[in-house]
Amino acid sequence: MSESEGDDKEVGAEKKKTLSLRGSGFSQGTVRQNFSHGRSKSVVVETRKRRVAKPTDATPAPEAEVIPVPTPEVAKPAPVEAPADATSKLSKSEVDARARALEESKVRDVEDRKRADVDQKRREEQDAERDRKREETDQQKAEQEAREAAEQAEAERIAAADASAVVAAASEEGGKPAAREEPKVKELKPFERKKPEEAAKPAKPKTDDRRRTKLTLGNALDEDRGKRGPSLAALKRRQEKAKRAAQQNTGPREKVSREVQLPETITIQELANRMSERSVDVIKHLMAEGQMMKPGDIIDADTAELIAQEFGHAVRRVSDSDIEEGIFDAPDVEKDLKPRPPVVTIMGHVDHGKTSLLDAIRNANVVSGEAGGITQHIGAYQVEKDGRLISFIDTPGHEAFTSMRARGAQITDIAILVVAADDGVMPQTIESINHAKAAEVPIIVAVNKIDKPSADPSKVKTELLQHEVFVESMGGETLEVEVSATEGTNLDKLLEAINLQSELLDLRANPDRPGEGTVIEARLDKGRGPLATVLISRGTLKTGDIVIAGDEWGKVRALLDDHGKQIDEASPSMPVEVLGLNGAPAAGDRIGVVENEARAREISEYRQRLSREKAVASVAGQRGSLEQMMTQLQATDVGEAALVLKADVQGSSEAISQALKKLNTDEVMARIVHSGVGAITESDVALAVASNAPILAFNVRANKQARDAAEAEGIEIRYYSIIYNLVDDIKAVMSGMLAPERRETFLGYAEILEVFDVSKIGKVAGCRITEGKVERGSGVRLLRDNVVIHQGSLSTLKRFKDEVAEVPGGQECGMAFENYQDIRQGDVIECFRVEHIERSL
């Protein structure tokens, strides 16, 4: 047989092999699956062995044995044996490609071997973890069995002891051993009621048989399913429960005292949670105290503290205002303090020359810009004298600006009391003295207008003695300077006195810290928004700082000095205008720097919430039920003059509000529905329409939309530039609302001598005038035994047969009453006149 014939036989044998879908690495087995009610089922399971590529020691085949890869175009099978000169027909590029393919195949084989090793290692780790868990489970089961055995032994011992005790007692009573009886136990524990053979058996876990026998992936992989006992955590919980039950049987549990944090208001439910008590117990405690409340009701901190103390807990009070801590009044180190300029407030009566004096010092003309020649705003300026700065604050002298003077005295170091030499001490002068003494600031008396012929400085000094202001020339310690603002006399002496007083006070502050100050005035500017005039008291305020001022906050966009120039920072005792606040703060509010916007917003929201609650509380105090309102209206007939007020600055609005409140009486009052700063808008007109109130505009104007709306709705807008004109107009309006005064004037007495019946008239009294006179149309009273029987008016007054206007004393006349006939002989008629007189405030 030739070699070619043998190859053909082998090819034929390969063609006769049977085709199969299984690979060579498959093995087949059978698994029996059991179901409930004795059913079972055989499941065929096939497993496949992973093919592991092993490194071979064979050397690469020679080039002559490389079999060419058939191309898609060739459909013929590859030859069994390549010819000897096959590679000689291949090009060099084809040979290189085949070599690269061979190298890539070797690299893939190495990577497959590495992956196989990693998979084998992971399977070994999983097997080790499974074995470890199985060992832990077996150990837990052993521990559980040991505990159950100990419990069973203890139960048997207790039962035996009880039985022996019963037998001994019976033998003592009867004198002979009693018959064997079962011991009667009143109260048995759960494990004592079981029989010994039942207690020895472990309890079966309550599981669903169908779920347990269902073939799932978790059931197939969990070899220990159905063999595990309760966990250690379950055993611990069981023991703790038994301990608690024993403690409850022996006595009450020990009370745990806790520290409870209490805010200003808290609900009962939240209080119970913080005390770790049941809200039902807290409600019961309140019911015992006579208060019927629900868990959602809110109580104050004092009540919550009493409840917490009754339950045996310690209390720590916290407040929402704690968020404001650290903004103001932080202590300074002594070595960081540096000298600062003094803050001087000029105070006194209106028209005594305060602003003129400041103008002469500043070489400016401020008084010409004020309406009516009186100051109606607080002005802050800085003046340099001998290389040293002095900060001046000019306050109004009009009586309506009391709060402005008080505010100026509180933020000042030195108060200059300006008194006109020709006018002397006046009411606002006395008020300024009281403000300065209340603020405990030194006073320098400036006697102004000494250039006038009627000036008498000695009279001023004498009058000041009555108010405990002792000047140096009168033997006191208060500095005094006689000046003239128009002539510029002794202005240098006044500045020297200020510097001398500031040296005695030793004024110092720390400039190297966040700025703090006081809002002197606030207003709304049309182009720049809210503006606040601030006097810096401590630290340095810089552009870009985040500040909080009253209810408002913002980022400082710009700082302007008293000349309107923009500066980068403001040092202590320096007055500046601050731009960048969200709204106009109230005059007198403190301003401070905070670290970030989040805290500034939080503080602002807290203060705004307090303001709203205060406003709601005041309104709620004025309101009430319908019955209360009707009762109040019947008891007091109070007339109200509703007003909407808009002013240029916050201080003016405050001063006008206070001046109008002084006009209120028990019969009529001015109620300011809304007061604000800035121009009149459509919302102000809408509010005036709703409250039927006129709009008072002080140094502001209404825009076109507001004017059109006011004209359409018939709302009156009154413009003012001088405060006392506004106050006088409102005073006249309120005076017109007052009921006229009823004044009664006595005219005379008449005695009834005889009573006549006249047809068409009725009874007519024939009288004699005993005192005074009687007038037709006047009021009369009928007196019987000096008791008023009737009060009305006369219908007829006749002298003989003629109607007359009056009858003098001593004469006789006839009189008849309107709608009254019960008159008798001997009665006395009193005649009087009623006049209605208009009243004024």
Side-chain angles (χ1 to χ4, degrees):
M1 185 184 297
S2 64
E3 187 176 356
S4 61
E5 291 176 355
D7 294 339
D8 293 336
K9 288 181 179 181
E10 291 176 5
V11 172
E14 290 176 0
K15 291 180 180 180
K16 292 179 182 180
K17 289 184 179 179
T18 305
L19 296 176
S20 176
L21 294 177
R22 297 191 191 91
S24 58
F26 283 93
S27 63
Q28 188 173 5
T30 304
V31 175
R32 182 169 293 278
Q33 182 179 3
N34 296 324
F35 297 93
S36 60
H37 305 289
R39 292 181 299 166
S40 63
K41 181 180 179 182
S42 297
V43 181
V44 178
V45 179
E46 293 182 352
T47 59
R48 178 180 180 182
K49 295 182 181 180
R50 183 178 296 276
R51 180 179 179 182
V52 180
K54 298 182 180 180
T56 58
D57 299 330
T59 58
E63 294 182 359
E65 295 180 2
V66 175
I67 300 174
V69 180
T71 59
E73 292 80 11
V74 181
K76 297 178 180 181
V80 177
E81 185 178 356
D85 57 348
T87 57
S88 61
K89 297 179 181 180
L90 297 176
S91 63
K92 184 178 181 181
S93 60
E94 293 176 345
V95 173
D96 294 340
R98 293 186 180 187
R100 284 194 300 272
L102 184 60
E103 292 295 333
E104 292 176 358
S105 176
K106 292 179 180 180
V107 171
R108 283 195 298 272
D109 291 342
V110 173
E111 292 177 354
D112 291 341
R113 285 195 297 273
K114 290 182 179 180
R115 281 195 294 270
D117 294 340
V118 172
D119 293 340
Q120 181 66 20
K121 186 176 181 181
R122 185 173 64 254
R123 285 195 296 274
E124 291 176 357
E125 292 177 353
Q126 292 176 353
D127 294 341
E129 180 68 19
R130 190 178 297 108
D131 295 340
R132 185 183 62 79
K133 289 183 179 179
R134 189 181 295 109
E135 291 176 359
E136 291 180 356
T137 304
D138 295 341
Q139 183 179 359
Q140 292 175 1
K141 290 170 62 178
E143 293 177 356
Q144 181 183 358
E145 292 175 357
R147 281 192 296 271
E148 291 177 353
E151 292 176 358
Q152 179 63 26
E154 180 68 18
E156 293 176 356
R157 187 185 64 79
I158 294 173
D162 293 341
S164 61
V166 172
V167 172
S171 61
E172 290 178 0
E173 292 177 0
K176 59 181 179 179
R180 185 177 183 87
E181 294 180 357
E182 290 295 330
K184 297 181 180 180
V185 183
K186 294 182 179 179
E187 192 171 350
L188 295 178
K189 297 183 179 179
F191 59 79
E192 292 176 351
R193 296 192 182 99
K194 297 181 181 179
K195 296 180 180 179
E197 56 271 16
E198 292 177 354
K201 296 179 182 180
K204 294 182 179 180
K206 295 181 180 180
T207 57
D208 192 352
D209 292 338
R210 292 176 298 172
R211 295 286 300 273
R212 181 172 58 82
T213 57
K214 187 176 181 181
L215 184 60
T216 61
L217 183 60
N219 295 344
L221 296 178
D222 192 1
E223 298 178 358
D224 301 328
R225 181 172 179 81
K227 301 179 182 179
R228 295 180 181 175
S231 63
L232 288 176
L235 294 174
K236 289 181 179 179
R237 287 195 295 270
R238 187 184 302 170
Q239 293 176 357
E240 290 292 334
K241 186 176 181 180
K243 288 181 181 179
R244 286 197 299 269
Q247 290 177 359
Q248 289 178 358
N249 294 335
T250 56
R253 296 176 60 185
E254 182 181 357
K255 199 77 173 180
V256 179
S257 179
R258 293 177 172 83
E259 185 183 38
V260 182
Q261 290 187 358
L262 295 180
E264 296 178 356
T265 56
I266 189 173
T267 62
I268 296 178
Q269 181 67 52
E270 180 63 21
L271 176 62
N273 294 339
R274 296 189 182 190
M275 295 189 302
S276 297
E277 303 283 353
R278 296 189 308 165
S279 59
V280 178
D281 296 337
V282 180
I283 295 295
K284 288 181 180 179
H285 174 74
L286 291 173
M287 290 175 63
E289 298 294 331
Q291 298 184 19
M292 302 296 294
M293 304 188 77
K294 303 184 293 297
D297 291 344
I298 298 176
I299 57 178
D300 57 2
D302 295 334
T303 306
E305 183 176 359
L306 292 175
I307 296 173
Q309 290 176 354
E310 288 291 334
F311 278 83
H313 300 289
V315 174
R316 184 164 67 90
R317 299 281 288 267
V318 296
S319 176
D320 293 339
S321 60
D322 294 343
I323 190 176
E324 297 181 334
E325 292 183 355
I327 302 178
F328 303 109
D329 302 329
D332 288 322
V333 183
E334 186 69 23
K335 63 180 181 179
D336 296 335
L337 300 179
K338 298 178 181 178
R340 65 172 178 85
V343 179
V344 181
T345 299
I346 299 180
M347 308 173 73
H349 192 72
V350 64
D351 289 335
H352 276 205
K354 299 181 297 298
T355 306
S356 301
L357 182 62
L358 184 58
D359 288 346
I361 296 174
R362 296 178 63 236
N363 295 324
N365 189 8
V366 177
V367 69
S368 61
E370 291 285 354
I374 65 169
T375 301
Q376 302 182 105
H377 309 87
I378 283 186
Y381 316 96
Q382 266 196 334
V383 176
E384 185 175 356
K385 171 63 177 175
D386 298 334
R388 301 171 64 180
L389 292 175
I390 303 174
S391 298
F392 283 96
I393 297 177
D394 185 15
T395 62
H398 193 271
E399 62 178 351
F401 297 95
T402 301
S403 58
M404 286 193 183
R405 284 190 296 278
R407 187 159 57 247
Q410 291 171 0
I411 61 178
T412 189
D413 301 317
I414 303 171
I416 294 182
L417 183 64
V418 179
V419 187
D422 59 342
D423 208 359
V425 176
M426 300 298 288
Q428 271 63 58
T429 309
I430 301 171
E431 184 183 311
S432 300
I433 295 172
N434 295 332
H435 286 320
K437 288 183 177 180
E440 297 181 355
V441 295
I443 298 176
I444 298 177
V445 178
V447 182
N448 195 17
K449 302 184 181 181
I450 61 172
D451 56 322
K452 286 194 173 183
S454 58
D456 188 1
S458 60
K459 175 188 174 184
V460 173
K461 299 173 186 177
T462 305
E463 292 178 349
L464 289 174
L465 294 176
Q466 301 175 6
H467 304 285
E468 299 181 357
V469 178
F470 307 104
V471 296
E472 285 186 335
S473 61
M474 306 290 287
E477 297 180 355
T478 303
L479 298 176
E480 55 163 327
V481 182
E482 297 180 3
V483 297
S484 173
T486 56
E487 302 294 333
T489 308
N490 294 335
L491 296 182
D492 293 339
K493 291 183 178 180
L494 180 60
L495 296 177
E496 289 176 1
I498 295 172
N499 288 332
L500 177 61
Q501 188 68 53
S502 63
E503 289 179 359
L504 296 176
L505 294 175
D506 190 20
L507 304 172
R508 294 187 299 166
N510 180 15
D512 302 325
R513 55 166 293 164
E516 295 180 18
T518 305
V519 177
I520 301 175
E521 198 60 90
R523 61 189 175 92
L524 283 174
D525 188 86
K526 184 176 181 180
R528 296 180 293 181
L531 288 178
T533 303
V534 177
L535 180 67
I536 306 300
S537 58
R538 304 169 65 190
T540 301
L541 183 63
K542 301 177 182 178
T543 304
D545 286 344
I546 308 296
V547 296
I548 179 78
D551 297 348
E552 308 296 339
W553 71 279
K555 185 176 182 180
V556 179
R557 292 191 288 110
L559 296 173
L560 305 177
D561 62 3
D562 55 334
H563 297 289
K565 297 180 181 179
Q566 189 165 344
I567 57 178
D568 295 331
E569 60 182 28
S571 56
S573 301
M574 185 175 183
V576 289
E577 276 192 338
V578 178
L579 283 73
L581 294 174
N582 292 343
D589 287 341
R590 299 184 68 181
I591 184 171
V593 178
V594 294
E595 56 271 15
N596 51 44
E597 293 185 5
R599 190 182 181 198
R601 188 179 294 108
E602 192 173 1
I603 296 173
S604 176
E605 291 174 355
Y606 163 70
R607 292 181 175 178
Q608 290 175 2
R609 185 172 70 252
L610 287 185
S611 300
R612 287 194 300 269
E613 291 175 356
K614 186 176 180 181
V616 169
S618 63
V619 173
Q622 296 174 359
R623 294 176 179 171
S625 64
L626 184 61
E627 183 180 356
Q628 293 173 349
M629 293 175 63
M630 295 301 294
T631 305
Q632 184 178 4
L633 287 175
Q634 292 175 1
T636 59
D637 188 10
V638 179
E640 282 189 351
L643 303 170
V644 175
L645 175 64
K646 294 301 287 289
D648 54 345
V649 295
Q650 188 72 34
S652 298
S653 174
E654 180 186 11
I656 294 172
S657 301
Q658 292 181 356
L660 295 181
K661 285 181 180 179
K662 293 180 180 179
L663 301 178
N664 294 343
T665 63
D666 295 337
E667 300 180 34
V668 65
M669 61 179 295
R671 181 170 63 91
I672 299 178
V673 179
H674 170 69
S675 64
V677 177
I680 300 172
T681 60
E682 289 181 275
S683 61
D684 298 326
V685 177
L687 182 60
V689 172
S691 55
N692 193 20
I695 300 176
L696 306 180
F698 185 77
N699 285 336
V700 294
R701 292 294 182 268
N703 54 34
K704 186 178 185 305
Q705 293 82 1
R707 287 197 303 271
D708 295 341
E711 185 177 355
E713 298 290 345
I715 296 297
E716 181 183 11
I717 302 178
R718 289 207 174 190
Y719 299 98
Y720 298 94
S721 58
I722 301 175
I723 189 171
Y724 51 75
N725 290 342
L726 184 150
V727 175
D728 291 344
D729 285 355
I730 301 301
K731 186 176 180 180
V733 172
M734 295 174 65
S735 298
M737 296 174 63
L738 290 173
E741 182 181 355
R742 184 177 181 274
R743 184 177 298 176
E744 183 178 302
T745 305
F746 172 75
L747 294 179
Y749 284 117
E751 181 182 359
I752 300 178
L753 302 178
E754 192 69 36
V755 178
F756 305 96
D757 288 329
V758 180
S759 61
K760 297 182 182 180
I761 296 178
K763 292 185 177 181
V764 176
C767 308
R768 180 188 295 118
I769 307 302
T770 58
E771 183 180 350
K773 62 179 180 178
V774 176
E775 294 179 353
R776 186 172 58 186
S778 61
V780 290
R781 295 188 183 94
L782 181 63
L783 306 180
R784 186 175 296 163
D785 298 331
N786 292 327
V787 177
V788 178
I789 302 301
H790 171 71
Q791 179 175 335
S793 59
L794 290 177
S795 62
T796 302
L797 178 62
K798 290 188 176 182
R799 173 77 172 151
F800 300 106
K801 294 183 179 181
D802 300 328
E803 289 280 346
V804 292
E806 67 176 41
V807 178
Q811 295 185 2
E812 296 181 355
C813 63
M815 289 188 287
F817 291 83
E818 288 184 357
N819 303 322
Y820 191 76
Q821 301 294 323
D822 185 17
I823 53 179
R824 303 176 186 176
Q825 184 180 357
D827 291 347
V828 177
I829 298 175
E830 179 185 358
C831 185
F832 58 90
R833 183 191 304 123
V834 177
E835 297 176 347
H836 294 279
I837 302 174
E838 292 186 0
R839 299 163 57 197
S840 62
L841 295 175

